[in-house]
Amino acid sequence: MDSPVTQAQYATQLSDDTLRDMYRAMLLSRRLDERCWALHRQGKIAFHVSAIGHEGLQVAAAFALNRGIDFTYPYYRDLAFCIALGLTPLDFMLSVFGKAGEPSSGGRQMPSHWSSREKHIVSQSSVVAVQVPQAAGTAFAINYKRKVGLLAADDTTQPRLAYASVGEGGTSQGEWHEAMNWAGIHKLPFICMVENNQYAISVPFDKQSAVPLVERAHGYGVIGVQVDGNDVFATYDAVRAAAERAYTGEGATLIEAITYRLVPHSSDDDDRSYRTREEVQEWKQKDPLLRFQAELLNQGVLTQARIDAFEEAIQASITEAQQQAEAAPDPDIASGLSGVYAEETI
């Protein structure tokens, strides 16, 4: 594991307004997530996959990138990451209700399969981990443009790196290894964030790997960093330092963020069959949202009055989004093949 990254302390340069924006994004993700669990139990939506417990590392990562400019390949658990990139409660509600105006696929994909040309979120497949080689390929294209003079390394208006996230279970897929090897060989401007939440659905991490994931980095010739994913400041530092290396041509970084999902894998999973309630309760004491809130209160960045105001405004926005999504039209069946085949005119 490489250590210089954690000494960067970029997070100390974050303004109070930015820290409050980060807290608000985490809180919005948590409350939106909780509402979706309730909607599923009420039988109003068919499926939900949760980001609860991952909010800290995801928001930290998004804020450490050049948001809306750098290319991102998030995976299905990245609700908080996408909110930090600009996803709205209505966007997500349209997704879970499968409505026609849903921005990622017009209601054709499962929810949490993100896509936004405007926000530079690249459309993803449902197949686990295939977003990683796609992101490495994008990083190769960025590298190539630099080499032939089509992209200046200091041009902040253009994408200068590709970021992919994946669960630790996804690193057992061959595609992940191929992408990391490619990134090391070509010294790509690439960041792979592994959100290690300890379980690949029901398989514990010690049944997936004999070594910490971060130790694999040297085998691929990339920098490896392990970070406490429930620590917003530490994760921000790690991603920001990785971004700076990518921007300056120093190559790729594998970040293993240690975290825990505080709820089942998805709305269709019963986690009582593979982990104890005591273990879950222990990790709830490390909840990244409550931890960040306590840190900001201690610094005087937040007050209880401001927290209450955030809560009230966020709950109102989620309720409004839910009502709009429930009232929105379903996708037109006649448009089922739109966007699947080229529409050629003769």
Side-chain angles (χ1 to χ4, degrees), residues 195-223:
E195 302 182 22
N196 186 349
N197 66 18
Q198 317 300 320
Y199 290 93
I201 305 184
S202 61
V203 179
F205 180 68
D206 63 4
K207 296 295 186 292
Q208 300 174 59
S209 177
V211 298
L213 284 172
V214 69
E215 292 188 9
R216 297 176 178 175
H218 288 294
Y220 300 119
V222 305
I223 296 290

Side-chain angles (χ1 to χ4, degrees), residues 5-285:
V5 180
T6 57
Q7 303 302 315
Q9 296 184 329
Y10 292 105
T12 61
Q13 301 168 22
L14 293 170
S15 70
D16 288 357
D17 284 342
T18 300
L19 291 170
R20 283 190 285 267
D21 286 346
M22 294 171 76
Y23 174 77
R24 184 186 177 284
M26 290 173 62
L27 185 64
L28 174 56
S29 178
R30 177 66 62 90
R31 299 297 178 248
L32 193 54
D33 215 315
E34 292 169 344
R35 182 70 64 90
C36 287
W37 280 101
L39 291 171
H40 180 268
R41 298 307 190 242
Q42 293 166 1
K44 289 191 173 184
I45 63 174
F47 182 75
H48 176 55
V49 63
S50 181
I52 290 178
H54 288 231
E55 297 96 337
L57 74 90
Q58 291 181 13
V59 170
F63 273 74
L65 302 176
N66 194 4
R67 285 183 292 164
I69 303 295
D70 291 331
F71 283 112
T72 61
Y73 290 74
Y75 85 121
Y76 53 77
R77 203 175 298 285
D78 275 354
L79 173 60
F81 180 84
C82 291
I83 284 175
L85 292 184
L87 186 86
T88 69
L90 179 58
D91 292 337
F92 190 60
M93 281 292 175
L94 290 169
S95 173
V96 296
F97 279 97
K99 296 295 188 171
E102 190 270 323
S104 294
S105 67
R108 293 178 178 82
Q109 259 278 32
M110 291 177 69
S112 302
H113 286 66
W114 324 104
S115 177
S116 170
R117 183 185 297 271
E118 176 187 81
K119 300 177 181 66
H120 277 198
I121 301 172
V122 182
S123 183
Q124 62 185 253
S125 166
S126 296
V127 180
V128 171
V130 297
Q131 75 273 18
V132 187
Q134 291 168 349
T138 298
F140 184 89
I142 293 171
N143 224 20
Y144 177 79
K145 286 185 176 181
R146 281 181 184 164
K147 288 180 179 177
V148 299
L150 294 174
L151 175 65
D154 59 352
D155 185 353
T156 59
T157 68
Q158 299 298 315
R160 292 178 294 159
L161 65 77
Y163 170 96
S165 56
V166 65
E168 85 287 349
T171 67
S172 296
Q173 301 286 346
E175 289 89 344
W176 182 79
H177 296 276
E178 293 166 8
M180 296 308 303
N181 194 45
W182 181 255
I185 291 170
H186 295 284
K187 209 172 182 179
L188 298 181
F190 173 64
I191 300 173
C192 180
M193 166 69 82
V194 179
E195 302 182 22
N196 186 349
N197 66 18
Q198 317 300 320
Y199 290 93
I201 305 184
S202 61
V203 179
F205 180 68
D206 63 4
K207 296 295 186 292
Q208 300 174 59
S209 177
V211 298
L213 284 172
V214 69
E215 292 188 9
R216 297 176 178 175
H218 288 294
Y220 300 119
V222 305
I223 296 290
V225 180
Q226 188 184 69
V227 67
D228 178 355
N230 287 4
D231 183 334
V232 173
F233 297 109
T235 308
Y236 179 88
D237 271 352
V239 180
R240 178 66 189 281
E244 291 299 327
R245 281 196 296 280
Y247 294 154
T248 54
E250 295 178 53
T253 303
L254 165 65
I255 299 174
E256 180 188 14
I258 305 298
T259 189
Y260 194 79
R261 59 173 162 79
L262 297 173
V263 292
H265 171 72
S266 75
S267 55
D268 293 355
D269 173 40
D270 183 356
D271 64 330
R272 293 171 298 181
S273 65
Y274 58 83
R275 62 183 184 179
T276 67
R277 296 306 87 190
E278 290 76 16
E279 179 185 301
V280 176
Q281 191 59 37
E282 180 183 339
W283 276 92
K284 283 185 177 178
Q285 306 308 311

